[in-house]
Amino acid sequence: MIRETVGHLRDIPRYRQILTTLARYGYQDVIAALRLESVVKPLERVALGEEVALYDRPRRLRLICEDLGPTFVKLGQLLSTRPDLLPESYTNELSALRDDVRPFPFEQAQAILVEEYDRPLDACFASIDPVPVASASISQVHLAVLHDGRRVALKIRRPDLHKVVAADLDILKNLAQLAERHIPTLAVYRPMSLVREFERTIKRELDFSVELRTLKRCQTQFAADPTAHIPFAVEEFSTPRVLAMEFIAGVRVDDLQGLRGMGLDPAQVAVTGARILIKQIFQFGFFHADPHPGNLRVLPGGIVAPLDYGMFGQLDTRTRERIADLLIGLLAQDVDRVLKALDDLEVRGEEVDLKELRRDVGELVQTYCDLTLATIDLGVLLGELVGMIRRHRLQIPPDLVLLIRSLVTIEGTGRTLDPRFDIASQLEPILRKLAIRRYGPRRLLEQAAGTAEDLQRIATLLPDLLSHSLESIKRGELNVKFDLQGFERLVRQLTRASNTLAVGIVIAGLLVASSLIYRGGATSLAEVGYGLGMALSLWLIWNMSRS
């Protein structure tokens, strides 16, 4: 059993460490459900300590993630954004996961920089501060000064992190397979799909060249916006393991005292920050998926500078329009429109009671029937919507989850700055533009052009397709196959019915013939016919009763 489970993994001690940590924090039931008790040594099956026993189950899950290191911290942070998968008590606890960890020695950072740049550091920078300004689970940041005097932040990936994450991902995939096989309540949430999505996300975060491209893309999008400042990147000193970008000082967006010290109105800063992030979502469809206060700085003049470009979501035009449909359907009390928008957004499930879902959507719609978009508490609305989705075990696409998280975070930060802040009033103009643009002449012309191209392609392919089909028919190579469920059973039933009818006809013939023979005087022959007819009749009655 152990060999089947972990034989293909490269790091069996790490596998045992993960399971032992689960056991130590009271998750023995999970280990038992996965049928992995034998992997944990008997001496390692320790009881909960007094200190740990005081914590509830969600808190213990957070402690497990912290103990197991960077991969599991990131996994916990991802799960904290999935209220469709976990109860609120778990998502709230996991959202408290700290990404700041003990820094690694500067000597290791120097070695990485020299290896990446293939030259001495004094040839690249006038100076580097050996004390990191920030240290996270994936990287740490050092302040450096270029020879032209510009200050830059060097984001350096932790040494050997790629190998650790690769081993942990192998283990997580194996555990997900076991969960789908042995835990039916988890199988409905498709653990393997979740792990694959997490793998894609963390691998993108590990490759700083992806973050560099994101940074440059945001610079282009906000080049003409004076309220936003996107840090410049130093491509010469940026590699997959190191990102060199402008060092942003400023103050945290939630530092009320600091903002007032700069002569700024926190309420106006809230509006500016919300407009920037909403513009990313609904105008560009490329948005900051983790806009918590630590990732937003405010510069003199009320300019907002987003930091950390590692986690971004992406929405195409159709998805943005469907999100607008969803909000409009809620306001218009149009249950069918809400259901269609959810289906168009691919919020679906395998076993859904459509009547019950329709009823719950109707109740949600009625809750907001007397409100306008400007007076809706968006965080509460999205929370209730996600709660309904979770009750029906529907699946939400990852980017849509990131959008919901981003909007709720924006609203929460805005209300920290201004208790009267309402993100819905900031959404109203851009949603109206989306609706107008959908039916604008340019959009209709684009759709018509796309349809014309499709028709042209079909018209071009159709003659050849028909010609090949006719040739196949002539050669007897074209076969049509019907696969009807229950067809064989139907054939058996029809065969039995036809046989019963045939026997009935034979019995009727025997009785009629025997009667005619009897009238002709051949009594003995008639009696044989009557006997045979009676025997067949009894068989027929027995056969019919059996079927």
Side-chain angles (χ1 to χ4, degrees), residues 212-459:
L212 175 64
R213 292 195 296 271
T214 299
L215 184 61
K216 293 169 64 178
R217 183 174 176 180
C218 290
Q219 285 177 331
T220 302
Q221 291 171 343
F222 286 95
D225 190 338
T227 66
H229 179 80
I230 308 300
F232 65 77
V234 185
E235 295 189 53
E236 180 185 1
F237 300 128
S238 296
T239 72
R241 296 171 67 192
V242 180
L243 176 63
M245 59 186 288
E246 178 185 1
F247 179 80
I248 301 292
V251 300
R252 279 174 58 115
V253 72
D254 60 346
D255 183 355
L256 296 175
Q257 186 176 354
L259 294 176
R260 293 190 179 102
M262 295 171 68
L264 300 174
D265 178 8
Q268 184 56 46
V269 171
V271 171
T272 301
R275 284 178 179 171
I276 290 171
L277 296 169
I278 290 172
K279 188 175 182 180
Q280 284 186 326
I281 295 170
F282 290 102
Q283 181 173 334
F284 303 129
F286 187 66
F287 62 95
H288 202 305
D290 193 19
H292 65 76
N295 280 338
L296 296 172
R297 292 289 187 273
V298 182
L299 306 178
I303 298 171
V304 175
L307 305 179
D308 194 351
Y309 293 79
M311 186 182 293
F312 263 64
Q314 193 152 329
L315 303 170
D316 58 26
T317 302
R318 287 182 178 273
T319 301
R320 283 174 265 158
E321 292 173 350
R322 288 162 182 168
I323 292 168
D325 281 343
L326 179 62
L327 293 174
I328 293 170
L330 288 169
L331 292 173
Q333 305 177 54
D334 190 339
V335 176
D336 290 327
R337 188 167 190 170
V338 172
L339 290 172
K340 185 177 185 305
L342 289 174
D343 187 64
D344 289 342
L345 288 167
E346 297 183 1
V347 180
R348 301 167 185 164
E350 295 181 0
E351 298 179 2
V352 182
D353 187 331
L354 295 179
K355 289 184 179 179
E356 187 175 348
L357 177 62
R358 184 180 182 84
R359 184 198 66 195
D360 286 353
V361 169
E363 291 179 357
L364 181 63
V365 162
Q366 287 298 319
T367 304
Y368 295 91
C369 63
D370 297 326
L371 301 179
T372 63
L373 187 61
T375 58
I376 283 180
D377 187 329
L378 189 67
V380 174
L381 170 60
L382 293 175
E384 291 181 357
L385 180 64
V386 170
M388 182 195 70
I389 288 171
R390 185 171 179 273
R391 285 196 303 275
H392 290 274
R393 295 187 175 184
L394 304 179
Q395 304 294 322
I396 305 181
D399 283 329
L400 183 57
V401 174
L402 292 177
L403 167 65
I404 292 173
R405 178 196 185 190
S406 185
L407 289 175
V408 172
T409 304
I410 294 168
E411 185 175 50
T413 303
R415 290 190 174 176
T416 300
L417 298 172
D418 177 13
R420 296 172 297 176
F421 175 79
D422 188 354
I423 190 175
S425 62
Q426 304 299 323
L427 281 170
E428 186 176 16
I430 200 160
L431 290 179
R432 191 185 305 118
K433 286 182 181 178
L434 274 175
I436 293 173
R437 187 174 63 185
R438 183 187 303 188
Y439 301 106
R442 180 176 179 179
R443 180 65 183 278
L444 294 175
L445 184 61
E446 289 175 352
Q447 290 178 339
T451 303
E453 289 178 3
D454 291 340
L455 290 174
Q456 182 184 18
R457 186 161 50 251
I458 292 171

Side-chain angles (χ1 to χ4, degrees), residues 118-191:
D118 196 24
R119 50 184 150 164
L121 293 186
D122 56 8
C124 305
F125 308 105
S127 65
I128 301 179
D129 189 345
V131 179
V133 296
S135 179
S137 57
I138 284 182
S139 62
Q140 70 183 35
V141 179
H142 288 266
L143 174 61
V145 179
L146 299 175
H147 287 294
D148 61 9
R150 291 181 297 170
R151 298 200 304 167
V152 296
L154 296 177
K155 185 176 180 180
I156 307 169
R157 194 175 74 197
R158 286 184 171 273
D160 299 323
L161 183 61
H162 194 273
K163 296 178 182 177
V164 173
V165 170
D168 284 347
L169 287 173
D170 280 344
I171 295 171
L172 285 171
K173 288 175 187 175
N174 185 248
L175 293 176
Q177 289 175 342
L178 293 175
E180 289 188 351
R181 189 183 309 162
H182 300 306
I183 309 179
T185 55
L186 291 182
V188 69
Y189 295 111
R190 296 179 294 181

